[in-house]
Structures are given as structure tokens and as C-alpha cells.
Amino acid sequence: MAFCRQSSISFRCSHVLLFPQIPHQVAAHMTETLRRLDVLDLAARASIAHPEAIFTATGGTRVSDEKLRNLRDMLLEQATTHGYPGLASEEQRGQFDTLASVGLHTRMQIAPSEAAKRGIWEFMTCVLAPDIVRWRFPGEGGGTSSERFLTGRRNTFQRLWWRAHVMRDDLRQDNCYALIALLGEDEIVQIMERPNLAGYRRLTAHVGAGLLSAVERHREMPRRILIREVQKHLLRLSSIVMFDALEEEQLHCLTQELYDQVVAAVSGNTGSST
Amino acid sequence: MVVTAVPYLRPGAGLVQAEQWQVLGDEPQALPALLPHWDYNTEVQVGRNVVVDIAAIRHACQFVDDVPLKLVAAWSSPGSFQRGVLCSLCPLPQHEQVVLRGSLNGGDVVSSVRIDTLLLLGASNIDPAPLSPMRAGSVLWRDSATVVVEGTGSRFPIEVIDFDSTAWAPRGAAWFLLWNPFDVDQPFLGAVRLFINASHEQVVRAATTASTESSTVAIRSAIYFDVGRALLRGGLANPDFVADPDGFPRGTTGHAIATLLRTTFPGESVLELRNLLKERPEYFDGVLQAKFNLFQM
């Protein structure tokens, strides 16, 4: 009888923190007001607690007040370095996103299953740091879009935590979060807005690294086209190829092949089908 | 139902014999459909025995002898968007029982977890025969088991509360569907909730009992229509949903809306429905009345 080897990158929960969550109906009600207030008014309202906050019942330790204050202080410092409370440039906002992604992922110490609790992110945006939401996404005359406060792919902090989680490359000894800084916002969105593919973390690391390599080799090719088309190829392959079972070298070869195919197709050379 | 047409030869039925998944421990037992008492510290060891007729599979797929086969058990949880490999074995021993074994961890899983067992092409097939699988990782055979880890999962989430005692519910309303159309990736049971106003006795009765009185049936019909309309309108107004309605994992709000769309409008294009809603919203609502048999008792 043969036994298989266990191979899984999995979250081990010896020090899981539980964060406060607010009910969605409370967040939706609060957002109607918060989204139009001035940044500094919101800073005065920021708090580490809310009377309707709840916690996941079991499985970890409730985050301390001190840790919540430290988290807010970290975000505030990162924002201040990039223009807060004034209007920030696109470059400044992008740099804030990179720092905040890594900061949230390393400091919050939450399990993916806890991060999937939407009330946590609505607590972060509506209670802990509403001013930073308003600053990061000022919006047009009508205020910040509600989706930046409410849970979803565009929640200000939820999107940052998940991109750090998905794009963290555990095989990189020097900086496992390097990809977040090296990829542009559009490219990260291309990755994150395909949850069927984003769940394959090792594949995502290779897609990101592969893009950077392809851009070096094909400087004339727009990055957004490269990654968009490769993602389409991968989506088609995902129903017949098990990406998680591929070894690192196989993932590398697959992504390289797909980037080369895209370049050939876009350049008008003979392309091969997936 | 989505059917995938695979562009290569696959083995026929019976060439992979897999026993039921077991929860391992002092007294192994069959993996149940529901694992209660789940939290982030839960770790469940699971295992199953599998026998693979390698020679017959090589013949069916037209592989030469040195093309390796790989057997993998993988998990995925739509609630946490996470996935991973429980265990893998490559190459496979000829005519020998294989034991797949691994751990399901609470920190990774929300709402439910799916365990896929897959037989794969273990490496690229360099010189494939026509129609023979060639990509490393190509799926030759699979089966799936799903386990719910929180809640019972079958009924629409309904809660009766007094709307006058809250700041967020519309006072005087009979019911209020709370959900976020921007966030259709979330598990449906956690993300969608129908609140019934406790001060509306007839509505409470309609929503929480199986009464067949005509007034109760009519109210239930109105609730059903309103909820269905809200979900469909919300989905069709969400560009992420319209761009890929079949891309949402089972158990998510997006998947529930896609299923509702398919059963309500079988064979119709999501883009065309989106355009109809955008251009003639009042007509769209009228069509829904007919589709949901509003007040047809």
C-alpha cells in the first residue's frame, strides 16, 4: 500500500486574532453619513469600538484595544507620508496601497476564514479608519462611493489585505510581498477580480513574476494586454488542468509559455491554441 | 448546468476505484455531510483508499510507459476563497492500493469545503499521440465530496425583528431584504438576510409558517417576487457578475443569483437581460411577475 505525501500551504491557527465586526445593516446606515463628511471630521469620529460590534464566537483571541490603536496609527502614518489629509496624487495613493497591504496582512494576524467575515472590513472602514477611506477615495462631488466603505471587492482595506494574502510569495526569501510593489494597480485588479484563479496562490505568484519577465523580454507589449490575455488563457485551462498539483518548475513553464503565446498572437505571428 | 468538453482522451468509468472519505482517528467514520462545532482551531484528518488501473488508463489515453500519473486530493472553500492540496502521489504504483490522507484546517475554511480527488498527467507529454493529453496537470478523472462546516445550509435566511427598535430598518415596512449587491463573492447564507417586521403579524405568519390561507399565500407570493426581483436586479446591475456569471463558486451569492437567472430565464443571455433591465426596467419587472407566478394561487 502506498501513502501520499501531504503538501499544503495552510493557515495554522496558534495565534489567531479575532477582530470586531459590525452588522452590514449598521455599516450601510453609517455609510450614508460617513461618505460625505470631511476627512478631519471623520478623523475625530474614528474609534476602536462600536456598541453593535460582535466577534466570532470561538477559535482565537479577541484583538486588544492597544492593537487596534496601533493598527489605526500605522494606517494613519502611512497615509500621512503620502499626502493625508490633503489630496493625494495617483502615485501617492498607489504607494499607500502597497504599504497598507503589507501592513494589514502582517499586523492583523487573522486567518483567511476570519478575513472572509465581511463585518471586519466594515468595522475597519466605518469605525476604525473612516477618514483614511475618505482620503484614499475622495470621489467626485457626491462623496466617496459606498462600495469603498461596504464589504466587497472594492472595500478600501479588504481589497488590500486579500491582495497581500494572494500575492505573497513564500518562496521569496528576501521579500515575500515584492510582487505587490512591482505590479501596477490595473494588473493587481486583473488578478484579484478573477477569484477562480486568485485562489491558486502559487499560480498567482508565477503569473505576477511571469509578467515582469515578459515585460523585460517584450518591452513593446502593453502590460495590461499581456496579463489580461494570460488570465483568459488560464481561465480556460482551469477546467481541465489542476494548477495546484503542478510543481514550481511546471508552473513557471506554463506561465512563460502562455505569455509567449500571447505576445505571438498580439504581434500577429502564428499563434498556438490553448 | 455547465458541461466541460475535454479536448483529449480520458479513461472510462471503473478504472479508478475510490472508497468513501473517512474522518480518521481512534474510530474512523465516514465523512459526514455536516461537520458541526467548527472553528479556526479545528483540524480534521481525512483519508480514503484508491486503486488505479494504470495499465488500462495508459492504454485508454494512449500514453507511453514513462508518462507519469499523479493522484491528488485537493480542497477548496468558496467561503474563504482558499484552496490547496491535501496530499499528492506521483508516480503511482502499479496495481496497488493508495492511501490519500490529509488535514482540513479551520483557519482556511468557511461555510463549506469541497474535496476533489483527481488523477492527473504528472508531467508534460512530450510526444503525445493524437488526442492524448499533453499538459502537465491535465485532469484524467475526478470525483468530489462537499462538507458543510457551519449551519445546515438549506433554508433561506429569515429573521423576525421589530423594525421600530432599530435605526437601520425602514419603519413600517413589512419586510426588508438586506444584502450587498456589490459583494456577490460572499457565502449566500451569511451575506443575504430577509428581515420580517415583527409588528406585521400576517407577514410574520406568511414567512414563518406553511399556512395555506389565501391571504397568507398571497403575502408569501409577494415576498417571493420581491426577493427574487431584488436579487436578479442586483446581479444584473453588478458589472462583475455580468462579466462572468458562471464564475462564482457554489455557495456564494453570485452562484445563487446565476442559478436563479438560469431557472427563471433558461437559455437567455445575461447581457440581453441586463440590457432589458437597463432600457425597460418597468417591462423587466412585468416579465418577472409572470416568471414568478405572482398571485397565481
Side-chain angles (χ1 to χ4, degrees), chain A residues 4-20:
Chain A
C4 70
R5 63 180 172 87
Q6 185 158 349
S7 58
S8 176
I9 299 173
S10 174
F11 192 89
R12 302 292 172 181
C13 305
S14 56
H15 301 289
V16 171
L17 288 181
L18 306 180
F19 269 65

Side-chain angles (χ1 to χ4, degrees), chain B:
Chain B
M1 188 177 76
V2 174
V3 176
T4 301
V6 175
Y8 48 76
L9 294 167
R10 287 189 297 174
L15 298 186
V16 180
Q17 302 282 343
E19 295 178 3
Q20 191 179 12
W21 280 101
Q22 302 260 310
V23 176
L24 304 178
D26 293 336
E27 292 181 15
Q29 54 180 296
L31 185 68
L34 167 68
L35 281 172
H37 316 303
W38 188 270
D39 69 23
Y40 302 147
N41 290 318
T42 302
E43 185 171 320
V44 174
Q45 295 276 335
V46 295
R48 76 186 314 190
N49 298 326
V50 183
V51 177
V52 180
D53 189 338
I54 295 178
I57 289 170
R58 286 191 186 285
H59 178 75
C61 297
Q62 298 182 13
F63 290 144
V64 297
D65 288 344
D66 61 353
V67 171
L69 301 181
K70 181 184 259 190
L71 193 64
V72 169
W75 64 270
S76 58
S77 178
S80 65
F81 316 112
Q82 299 300 286
R83 53 174 73 237
V85 172
L86 277 179
C87 60
S88 69
L89 182 63
C90 179
L92 292 177
Q94 179 73 8
H95 288 311
E96 197 177 322
Q97 185 170 278
V98 173
V99 179
L100 297 177
R101 181 181 293 172
S103 294
L104 299 173
N105 296 301
D108 293 319
V109 172
V110 171
S111 184
S112 67
V113 59
R114 192 172 97 174
I115 309 174
D116 289 306
T117 305
L118 305 107
L119 180 68
L120 309 171
L121 180 56
S124 293
N125 192 359
I126 305 299
D127 189 19
L131 295 183
S132 188
M134 65 175 194
R135 280 193 181 279
S138 294
V139 179
L140 307 178
W141 172 92
R142 77 191 307 160
D143 79 355
S144 298
T146 297
V147 183
V148 175
V149 298
E150 289 168 353
T152 55
S154 60
R155 301 182 62 181
F156 197 97
I158 291 177
E159 198 170 325
V160 179
I161 60 168
D162 179 8
F163 283 16
D164 286 347
S165 68
T166 73
W168 47 265
R171 286 173 190 264
W175 63 81
F176 175 46
L177 180 71
L178 183 72
W179 70 300
N180 183 357
F182 295 129
D183 195 11
V184 291
D185 294 309
Q186 291 286 328
F188 181 82
L189 289 177
V192 179
R193 193 160 299 271
L194 179 64
F195 290 97
I196 306 293
N197 194 343
S199 59
H200 282 260
E201 289 180 15
Q202 279 199 302
V203 177
V204 172
R205 192 171 151 73
T208 60
T209 73
S211 166
T212 55
E213 291 176 11
S214 58
S215 59
T216 311
V217 172
I219 293 171
R220 204 176 291 133
S221 176
I223 295 174
Y224 184 75
F225 167 75
D226 189 47
V227 170
R229 180 178 63 173
L231 291 174
L232 291 180
R233 274 175 158 261
L236 291 173
N238 182 332
D240 294 330
F241 176 83
V242 172
D244 187 18
D246 294 321
F248 295 92
R250 187 175 294 276
T252 59
T253 304
H255 186 268
I257 296 174
T259 304
L260 182 61
L261 259 182
R262 274 196 297 276
T263 51
T264 309
F265 296 98
E268 296 200 40
S269 151
V270 171
L271 277 175
E272 286 179 9
L273 290 169
R274 190 274 310 268
N275 291 341
L276 176 64
L277 172 62
K278 207 169 164 183
E279 291 158 15
R280 299 182 65 191
E282 73 293 344
Y283 185 78
F284 181 82
D285 284 349
V287 168
L288 282 187
Q289 286 184 28
K291 295 285 188 182
F292 288 136
N293 298 319
L294 181 64
F295 299 139
Q296 291 179 37
M297 302 174 287

